[in-house]
Amino acid sequence: MVVEELAVSAIAGAAGGAAGKFVETAWSTGEKWIHSFFQDHTLKAQNQAKRNSIDFLDKLAQNLKTIENEGKVTKQQIETAMDHPEFSVILQKAIISAAQTDNTDKHLLLARLVSERLKTPSESRLALASKIACDAISNATPNQLKLLGLIVTLGYLRPNNPPANEMNEEQRFLWSQTWWRQRLMPYKGLTFDDLDLFHLESLSCIMWVPILGKDLNRVLRLFDDKYSFDIEKFKKTDIGIELEEYWHKKGLQSVTPTSVGQLIGADVSDMLTNTRTEFTGW
């Protein structure tokens, strides 16, 4: 127990401010949740669960520190967060989910969910989707989470700064190709099959209707026609060729992410590309 307390104190000290105090409070309560959930498991399993949860809290502290420094949440919001039952529930879900795996990427995704939840009111769509997303992350394979990142990148993520109108056709192509390449390279070589899609559908992350199909050209068009680029030329690049196979042969043309899938997929994309999506309109 002393080891865990020292680890949490070190995390809190490194985070400092409201984020550090939050971590200490979260562990004080979270340790009881872990003990209750794992009380009938072996001592070795209980100790590993605690180590996993502490890794999650470390990543959560970093996220909280970032959004506090950016002015996305106030010190008071962080300090009083656990006074709200709905937030306490999502934190409990995240801690228990994190405790069950030593996969650090899942810890990072869960930490992002909890920190983003702080920025939105209770009962909002983001708040409610976040609770479901905690369970989905816990029950999806790392490869399936990566697949969600690809699906959401294709359908929903777009650059914040469109190219200037005065760009000629070749400049627009180079700009668009660069953006797509940066976003799609993390998924190069991704393997999945129908069972992965069935599983994501069972987790309420996607809707898969094989008899329907979306037009890849429309998906690849980042903006309206004034920013159009040579999509057929892009589809002949290494990334484009692989994307065509995902789309037509692997069935992504018939997949639509749910609100939960969008939330997880955007977080996966951010993790893989070192970016941060703002969930506006939720």
Side-chain angles (χ1 to χ4, degrees), residues 178-195:
T178 298
W179 190 88
W180 275 119
R181 179 171 288 276
Q182 289 172 341
R183 286 288 181 165
L184 295 177
M185 273 301 290
Y187 308 103
K188 189 168 174 57
L190 179 67
T191 58
F192 62 92
D193 56 28
D194 288 359
L195 190 56

Side-chain angles (χ1 to χ4, degrees), residues 169-184:
E169 184 176 340
E170 183 61 21
Q171 289 172 325
R172 287 197 303 272
F173 173 75
L174 291 174
W175 185 90
S176 299
Q177 179 185 231
T178 298
W179 190 88
W180 275 119
R181 179 171 288 276
Q182 289 172 341
R183 286 288 181 165
L184 295 177

Side-chain angles (χ1 to χ4, degrees), residues 3-282:
V3 174
E4 285 90 14
E5 289 176 354
L6 287 173
V8 171
S9 294
I11 292 169
K21 291 179 181 178
F22 178 92
V23 167
E24 291 180 324
T25 303
W27 176 247
S28 177
T29 305
E31 187 179 22
K32 297 171 186 174
W33 292 334
I34 294 169
H35 176 74
S36 176
F37 191 88
F38 290 95
Q39 63 180 338
D40 296 325
H41 296 254
T42 66
L43 181 60
K44 187 174 181 179
Q46 292 178 38
N47 289 335
Q48 183 61 53
K50 289 179 181 179
R51 287 193 292 271
N52 292 341
S53 297
I54 289 172
D55 182 67
F56 157 74
L57 288 176
D58 183 26
K59 291 172 172 54
L60 177 57
Q62 296 171 32
N63 270 271
L64 292 176
K65 185 177 180 180
T66 296
I67 62 176
E68 182 184 9
N69 291 341
E70 292 176 348
K72 302 293 177 59
V73 295
T74 65
K75 178 182 177 182
Q76 184 181 20
Q77 281 178 289
I78 296 175
E79 290 178 341
T80 62
M82 290 187 65
D83 294 339
H84 300 277
E86 191 270 339
F87 179 83
S88 184
V89 168
I90 187 175
L91 178 63
Q92 181 185 40
K93 280 179 171 288
I95 287 178
I96 296 301
S97 293
Q100 297 175 60
T101 177
D102 58 3
N103 185 293
T104 57
D105 285 345
K106 285 192 175 183
H107 296 169
L108 187 59
L109 291 172
L110 290 166
R112 177 73 194 281
L113 278 179
V114 174
S115 62
E116 285 295 320
R117 165 57 190 86
L118 265 180
K119 295 159 59 177
T120 188
S122 298
E123 302 298 326
S124 67
R125 286 175 289 195
L126 180 60
L128 298 176
S130 295
K131 287 193 289 187
I132 305 173
C134 278
D135 293 329
I137 289 171
S138 179
N139 291 302
T141 69
N143 197 64
Q144 288 165 355
L145 293 172
K146 197 171 183 180
L147 175 56
L148 266 182
L150 173 60
I151 292 168
V152 174
T153 294
L154 289 171
Y156 292 86
L157 301 185
R158 294 296 179 264
N160 293 325
N161 302 309
N165 286 344
E166 58 270 18
M167 278 186 174
N168 61 38
E169 184 176 340
E170 183 61 21
Q171 289 172 325
R172 287 197 303 272
F173 173 75
L174 291 174
W175 185 90
S176 299
Q177 179 185 231
T178 298
W179 190 88
W180 275 119
R181 179 171 288 276
Q182 289 172 341
R183 286 288 181 165
L184 295 177
M185 273 301 290
Y187 308 103
K188 189 168 174 57
L190 179 67
T191 58
F192 62 92
D193 56 28
D194 288 359
L195 190 56
D196 290 305
L197 296 177
F198 280 126
H199 189 68
L200 287 174
E201 190 168 41
S202 74
L203 294 176
S204 300
C205 289
I206 64 169
M207 295 179 290
W208 183 29
V209 186
I211 61 172
L212 301 178
K214 297 185 285 291
D215 181 1
L216 181 58
N217 286 10
R218 292 180 64 85
V219 170
L220 287 174
R221 188 178 299 132
L222 291 173
F223 301 101
D224 55 37
D225 289 337
K226 65 182 178 182
Y227 298 116
S228 63
F229 70 104
D230 192 336
I231 291 174
E232 294 305 319
K233 183 178 177 181
F234 173 74
K235 284 157 68 172
K236 293 176 183 177
T237 64
D238 56 339
I239 295 292
I241 291 171
E242 192 163 7
L243 181 57
E244 281 254 74
E245 181 166 345
Y246 291 152
W247 196 256
H248 296 294
K249 295 183 180 179
K250 294 282 193 174
L252 290 194
Q253 62 178 331
S254 303
V255 171
T256 301
T258 63
S259 58
V260 174
Q262 290 177 42
L263 187 57
I264 297 172
D267 285 346
V268 171
S269 174
D270 287 350
M271 179 179 69
L272 294 176
T273 60
N274 194 30
T275 54
R276 197 169 188 94
T277 300
E278 289 297 327
F279 292 94
T280 56
W282 278 68

